[in-house]
Amino acid sequence: MDSLDEKKELAVRWFQELQNQICDECTAIEDEGVPEDSEQDGLSALPAGSFQEKNWNREGGGGGRMRVMNGRIFEKVGVNTSVVHGEFSEEFRASIPGASENGKFWAAGISVVVHPQNPFVPAAHMNTRYIVTSKSWFGGGGDLTPIRPAVRESKKFHADLKQVCDKYNKEYYSKYKKWCDEYFYLKHRDEPRGAGGIFFDSLNSGDWDTDFEFTKDVGRTFKDSYANIVRATKDSSWSGADREFQEIRRGRYVEFNLLYDRGTLFGLKTGGNIEAILMSLPPRVRWP
Amino acid sequence: MDSLDEKKELAVRWFQELQNQICDECTAIEDEGVPEDSEQDGLSALPAGSFQEKNWNREGGGGGRMRVMNGRIFEKVGVNTSVVHGEFSEEFRASIPGASENGKFWAAGISVVVHPQNPFVPAAHMNTRYIVTSKSWFGGGGDLTPIRPAVRESKKFHADLKQVCDKYNKEYYSKYKKWCDEYFYLKHRDEPRGAGGIFFDSLNSGDWDTDFEFTKDVGRTFKDSYANIVRATKDSSWSGADREFQEIRRGRYVEFNLLYDRGTLFGLKTGGNIEAILMSLPPRVRWP
């Protein structure tokens, strides 16, 4: 059991370590390339993409490290970490646990969004964070957004998440799966955003070390499980119609993030880094 | 001076008449075609587009007539009219003039959004409406969103709008121009959506006939002024880089409509027709 400052440091160090691991994994997959017949967008002629890094500072305090790759397998993948601190405006204090007194907060996290070129490779999202006000907690989750049906992949993804949840608490998986299903839902279209995953927030069991270990495990499991899914699907052949369908489905992703996603709306309202926040939006989208 | 029912009928008849006129004008321009060198997307090989009509019914009462064309000049143009009535939920009553007592409303309007193929043809939007609660009023406006600088066209558009405003009230143009500038503003990016135009709401001067005539004149002026702009710019030659820039700028349009546009958010929250509401979103968009 460490002091609060030590906990913050451990959390930050982990998010940055995970950022490195995920970028390395994506780079390795990107280097493996695409099959010769991936000619629809001339992909097989493209060199492997690489991550571009950009650091940004937040006016109110703190900043982030943004890494984006536009590649031949990963049309757009963003892997961001940030460590920010400051004071919530009056407007937000009431809605944030432990912030009603003075509004002071500290938050660190990692956020990953993947939009693959191949419509048969599911898009994916993962985020974990550690937040400190007068209270402190972990939050996060990971979810899959297949474009074309990916029943086997979605099942395996859920099985992997269930396994990691079960290691910590037999109730976590069903609770966090439900939370994810409810959260990633497009009310105006009455449809889910994708195949779900897990979503958790306000996690503070009283045992910091275990909560931290769980949060780390969720990140690692996402990385490994999703890497397997990408490798299992990236050589699928696809048509122009699949691609068009993908770009239309991506419109739902945009609608969700701009209409409902709390992190996005919160970031935009509190003067966050626009580029880092909107990194989640898909590279090419259609509303025909 | 007619009864309220007669006023509603006159308004509806006008919005539908204007819908026809705008569709006819767009179809005429679409038939004029594009120059031989518009090869970037194979546009000159495409036949002229034509409007597809879809009627929809609203669960709470009323419905609409949606017309969309995907063409070689107009990549996507939507011209919708609707006549709806019902009761606002408790949630909305407080924010709507004259609705606090019983929440009953009746509303009719026309909404036009144009996303041209050629990046040198400005995108455009126009909407006018007549709303009846225990009060009644007109609202609407028109604005231009150039992708590449269109200084001359924007000036002429504003001059045309000023001319129609000045016919009715010397204060309208400056007041409604300012309202438009303030409304079509992306706070999170600290940038305007486009070159502006006019925006008015709650217009009830006490002289219904004159307010109605003004509203009609705004619609007609938009149609004529924008048609001139399209004809003046549609033959400009453009590069792949212009096109890419256009698709990126269109992202701002999406961000505005999903984050801020009152009509969009209101429609989505009150069970409006999703397809008609999101008709405004551009056909192809990039967030690189």
Side-chain angles (χ1 to χ4, degrees), chain A residues 147-159:
Chain A
I147 304 297
R148 289 305 193 188
V151 179
R152 198 172 42 191
E153 288 75 19
S154 302
K155 268 192 184 165
K156 184 66 169 69
F157 185 72
H158 274 280

Side-chain angles (χ1 to χ4, degrees), chain A residues 68 70 76 188-189 247 254-255 257-260 264-265 268 274 278 281-288, chain B residues 68 70 76 188-189 247 254-255 257-260 264-265 268 274 278 281-288:
Chain A
V68 177
N70 295 105
K76 183 177 173 186
H188 63 292
R189 293 190 181 270
E247 294 187 10
V254 176
E255 291 171 24
N257 282 20
L258 296 182
L259 288 170
Y260 304 115
T264 303
L265 299 178
L268 294 178
I274 303 296
L278 297 183
L281 299 181
R284 285 185 292 178
V285 187
R286 289 181 199 233
W287 284 273
Chain B
V68 178
N70 295 104
K76 183 177 174 187
H188 64 292
R189 292 191 182 271
E247 295 187 10
V254 175
E255 290 171 24
N257 282 20
L258 297 181
L259 288 170
Y260 304 115
T264 303
L265 300 176
L268 294 178
I274 304 297
L278 296 184
L281 300 181
R284 287 186 290 179
V285 187
R286 290 182 198 232
W287 283 274

Side-chain angles (χ1 to χ4, degrees), chain A:
Chain A
M1 199 55 170
D2 315 276
S3 76
L4 190 58
D5 278 345
E6 284 170 313
K7 288 172 185 168
K8 288 178 178 177
E9 204 188 311
L10 285 169
V12 169
R13 222 182 290 157
W14 163 251
F15 293 133
Q16 294 177 345
E17 165 61 24
L18 182 60
Q19 182 181 36
N20 291 337
Q21 288 183 17
I22 291 175
C23 289
D24 287 349
E25 188 69 65
C26 289
T27 303
I29 296 174
E30 179 72 14
D31 287 343
E32 291 164 22
V34 293
E36 284 300 318
D37 63 347
S38 304
E39 291 296 346
Q40 290 90 342
D41 285 335
L43 292 182
S44 63
L46 289 181
S50 60
F51 278 98
Q52 305 299 311
E53 182 172 297
K54 214 184 254 187
N55 291 287
W56 55 271
N57 293 309
R58 185 173 163 279
E59 235 178 84
R65 180 187 298 164
M66 192 169 110
R67 289 191 191 150
V68 177
M69 170 162 71
N70 295 105
R72 55 191 181 182
I73 290 174
F74 298 105
E75 190 173 341
K76 183 177 173 186
V77 46
V79 186
N80 297 352
T81 53
S82 63
V83 187
V84 299
H85 56 89
E87 271 181 41
F88 287 123
S89 66
E90 295 284 348
E91 184 192 352
F92 284 109
R93 290 183 192 182
S95 61
I96 294 174
S100 56
E101 286 157 45
N102 58 21
K104 280 195 182 162
F105 74 93
W106 178 97
I110 179 170
S111 178
V112 182
V113 176
V114 191
H115 295 289
Q117 293 274 8
N118 188 325
F120 289 91
V121 182
H125 160 253
M126 189 275 285
N127 160 258
T128 50
R129 54 194 176 268
Y130 177 49
I131 295 176
V132 181
T133 58
S134 67
K135 303 184 175 184
S136 73
W137 67 92
F138 289 96
D143 69 290
L144 211 59
T145 309
I147 304 297
R148 289 305 193 188
V151 179
R152 198 172 42 191
E153 288 75 19
S154 302
K155 268 192 184 165
K156 184 66 169 69
F157 185 72
H158 274 280
D160 291 342
L161 290 171
K162 183 174 186 310
Q163 195 175 26
V164 66
C165 285
D166 284 353
K167 265 173 65 184
Y168 295 85
N169 186 320
K170 294 287 177 198
E171 287 171 9
Y172 277 1
Y173 174 71
S174 63
K175 184 176 161 191
Y176 295 157
K177 176 192 184 304
K178 185 163 173 274
W179 204 338
C180 185
D181 287 341
E182 285 166 2
Y183 183 77
F184 291 105
Y185 198 79
L186 284 83
K187 285 189 268 306
H188 63 292
R189 293 190 181 270
D190 206 9
E191 60 183 46
R193 187 173 81 170
I198 60 169
F199 183 98
F200 65 101
D201 206 356
S202 311
L203 176 65
N204 185 340
S205 67
D207 177 352
W208 191 86
D209 292 315
T210 302
D211 293 346
F212 183 40
E213 209 42 61
F214 171 68
T215 302
K216 289 165 75 172
D217 243 353
V218 167
R220 275 188 291 252
T221 301
F222 170 85
K223 173 178 69 72
D224 295 338
S225 185
Y226 184 60
N228 286 336
I229 289 172
V230 175
R231 288 196 169 94
T233 51
K234 77 178 181 59
D235 294 347
S236 316
S237 65
W238 43 283
S239 68
D242 292 320
R243 176 72 202 186
E244 197 174 324
F245 183 75
Q246 178 191 44
E247 294 187 10
I248 293 168
R249 291 300 307 177
R250 284 174 172 174
R252 309 292 210 259
Y253 208 93
V254 176
E255 291 171 24
F256 181 84
N257 282 20
L258 296 182
L259 288 170
Y260 304 115
D261 187 59
R262 290 189 313 192
T264 303
L265 299 178
F266 183 81
L268 294 178
K269 278 187 188 172
T270 52
N273 183 278
I274 303 296
E275 223 181 326
I277 296 165
L278 297 183
M279 165 279 281
S280 65
L281 299 181
R284 285 185 292 178
V285 187
R286 289 181 199 233
W287 284 273

